[in-house]
Amino acid sequence: MKILVTGGAGYIGSHTCVELLKAGHEIVIVDNLSNSNKKSLHRVQAITEKKLDFYKVDIRDRKALEQVFEKHDINSVVHFAGLKAVGESVEKPLLYYKNNVGGTIILCEVMNKFDVKDIVFSSSATVYGDPHKVPIKEKFPVHPTNPYGRSKLMIEEILNDLNVSDSEWNAILLRYFNPVGAHESGLIGEDPNDIPNNLMPYISQVAVGKLDKLHVFGKDYPTEDGTGVRDYIHVVDLSLGHLNALDKLQENPGVTVYNLGTGEGYSVLEMISTFEKVSGKSIPYDILDRRSGDIAECYADPSLAKKELNWEAKRGIEDMCKDAWHWQKNNPQGYKI
Ligand code: NAD
Ligand code: UD1
């Protein structure tokens, strides 16, 4: 199959490109490189020893996108392209709606024009907001609490509406929990532009000496050790879920939603101690107040993905920390240099 991967140069996109190529798919990537580096794609080719086609294209650029569809006979789209920083989305909501929602509308219009009606979309557990209980099931109410989360929910609804208007449209909405780790080669991984917002890249940068110490946001949550609990999932397991979703699209499922998580929650302190154990580095930290907007506990019930996609996460917390460290240690400046 020939698959268009939007945002394929990014963190999850580059790992998914590796798995798509390994599975024998042909891939075409569009990315505006606003939050990524082309080097990631050189590394994808080095890992797989396979070729890919890359276009530096913004998905809001209809003409450029149409040229890509004219040149390639695309069967399905895996849609990662989007902005993802929650704090920035609060400061710049219009940018998030324009890029994420506006970009997806143009992508879908171009897909319609070229009669490509199968899409896998990167949604997020953030659409659940603060869940009334855990583990979270797909049918739980959705209450995103920030513009980023709302942009994801709007796109889910747009894809639903498309299917209502034209049943040839199929969309698999994957709600990711907390992707972490890196490819076992240590050649590709997460490379935040700035000081990381998320826990795992922050810990890795403390371990490698780029940052002094970690700030643990809150130790008074109603959890076992008082720190926040999340469902961390190895990025390679998450990437493999997209292959199962592409298979599922062949059954014309309409619109379906799946949680991609492990079903296990780990606290911030457990993450720190596991990282210390696998890396042999100590991670100094201070306890600060809670981060505004954070929730105590969030983990998935991933059983629907197991049942209907025949997918489940296999890699544990030690692998996640080990592979994150391997990437960070080998690439202290990420792709820069
Ligand atoms: P990322 O920033 O590494 O990758 C996104 C890619 O999209 C980047 O390469 C960026 O340059 C590109 N992009 C952004 N806007 C674009 C546009 N208008 N046109 C073309 N390319 C554009 O992020 P990621 O962590 O790989 O996330 C991929 C997707 O998964 C995103 O949609 C994100 O919202 C979603 N997601 C991520 C997480 C996470 O924790 N990483 C969790 C849930 C959902
Ligand atoms: C963040 C996003 C969320 C997104 C998710 C997965 C925010 C507010 N939310 O959530 O929308 O879906 O990532 O990518 O950004 N922590 C620290 N110190 C740090 C960083 C984090 O103690 O420096 C704690 C947090 O309080 C939390 C846990 O570590 O308990 C995980 O944080 P993070 O990696 O940012 O993920 P989420 O909070 O789940």
Side-chain angles (χ1 to χ4, degrees):
M1 265 208 309
K2 198 163 206 174
I3 294 154
L4 177 74
V5 184
T6 74
Y11 171 46
I12 305 169
S14 56
H15 287 80
T16 304
C17 286
V18 167
E19 301 307 327
L20 288 168
L21 287 170
K22 272 171 59 184
H25 294 297
E26 286 180 80
I27 57 175
V28 179
I29 294 163
V30 293
D31 196 306
N32 65 3
L33 302 180
S34 60
N35 196 38
S36 51
N37 190 309
K38 218 174 126 181
K39 250 191 211 165
S40 65
L41 297 176
H42 298 152
R43 305 257 179 108
V44 167
Q45 295 186 106
I47 294 168
T48 58
E49 298 179 338
K50 293 202 173 153
K51 220 184 88 18
L52 51 81
D53 286 297
F54 169 67
Y55 298 89
K56 183 168 186 273
V57 161
D58 191 302
I59 56 165
R60 290 166 296 174
D61 183 345
R62 181 189 307 273
K63 218 167 156 204
L65 207 50
E66 286 186 352
Q67 281 168 359
V68 173
F69 275 80
E70 263 154 27
K71 193 146 181 228
H72 297 276
D73 209 357
I74 307 285
N75 303 107
S76 311
V77 175
V78 181
H79 179 31
F80 294 106
L83 298 171
K84 62 166 183 177
V86 172
E88 185 186 53
S89 81
V90 175
E91 284 159 29
K92 300 176 183 167
L94 296 179
L95 174 66
Y96 272 66
Y97 292 127
K98 191 169 157 193
N99 192 76
N100 295 3
V101 181
T104 303
I105 291 173
I106 291 174
L107 172 68
C108 291
E109 284 176 344
V110 174
M111 287 174 66
N112 244 337
K113 181 166 173 186
F114 288 84
D115 208 25
V116 178
K117 295 178 178 176
D118 285 337
I119 186 168
V120 179
F121 171 60
S122 304
S123 189
S124 169
T126 199
V127 299
Y128 296 112
D130 194 352
H132 60 287
K133 61 177 183 182
V134 281
I136 299 172
K137 291 180 187 290
E138 288 81 355
K139 60 175 193 248
F140 276 20
V142 280
H143 297 295
T145 56
N146 53 67
Y148 165 67
R150 280 189 279 276
S151 78
K152 291 287 166 192
L153 185 57
M154 284 177 196
I155 296 168
E156 289 195 1
E157 288 173 343
I158 288 168
L159 292 171
N160 254 307
D161 289 340
L162 260 179
N163 165 265
V164 170
S165 73
D166 172 358
S167 61
E168 284 181 13
W169 268 91
N170 295 297
I172 297 197
L173 316 175
L174 299 178
R175 293 180 179 158
Y176 309 156
F177 281 68
N178 289 58
V180 296
H183 190 261
E184 61 176 11
S185 63
L187 286 172
I188 55 173
E190 189 168 11
D191 180 22
N193 266 337
D194 232 321
I195 296 181
N197 291 314
N198 298 118
L199 180 66
M200 185 65 119
Y202 205 110
I203 293 181
S204 309
Q205 294 197 9
V206 171
V208 85
K210 272 181 85 178
L211 296 167
D212 286 345
K213 60 165 82 156
L214 175 72
H215 305 300
V216 173
F217 298 137
K219 204 177 176 302
D220 56 351
Y221 283 108
T223 59
E224 210 150 282
D225 64 23
T227 65
V229 167
R230 297 291 183 273
D231 186 338
Y232 298 95
I233 172 167
H234 196 295
V235 65
V236 172
D237 278 330
L238 184 78
S239 296
L240 287 166
H242 295 73
L243 272 68
N244 297 52
L246 284 165
D247 285 346
K248 181 79 182 173
L249 281 175
Q250 303 311 305
E251 298 169 16
N252 293 323
V255 179
T256 46
V257 185
Y258 299 103
N259 286 338
L260 294 191
T262 65
E264 301 253 356
Y266 288 93
S267 74
V268 176
L269 297 183
E270 284 174 318
M271 293 301 282
I272 296 173
S273 62
T274 309
F275 198 98
E276 286 181 325
K277 182 175 151 203
V278 303
S279 67
K281 296 275 171 188
S282 98
I283 309 293
Y285 66 86
D286 283 338
I287 308 279
L288 266 65
D289 287 344
R290 294 180 182 193
R291 179 171 66 179
S292 131
D294 271 1
I295 55 179
E297 245 186 329
C298 172
Y299 55 91
D301 176 343
S303 57
L304 193 64
K306 182 168 184 192
K307 185 166 157 235
E308 294 189 5
L309 295 181
N310 196 22
W311 170 91
E312 68 183 320
K314 301 237 158 68
R315 292 159 181 81
I317 203 74
E318 292 205 1
D319 287 325
M320 300 179 207
C321 293
K322 180 170 66 60
D323 291 334
W325 173 234
H326 187 204
W327 152 255
Q328 187 72 66
K329 184 166 47 95
N330 289 355
N331 306 271
Q333 306 303 329
Y335 293 112
K336 300 152 207 99
I337 292 183

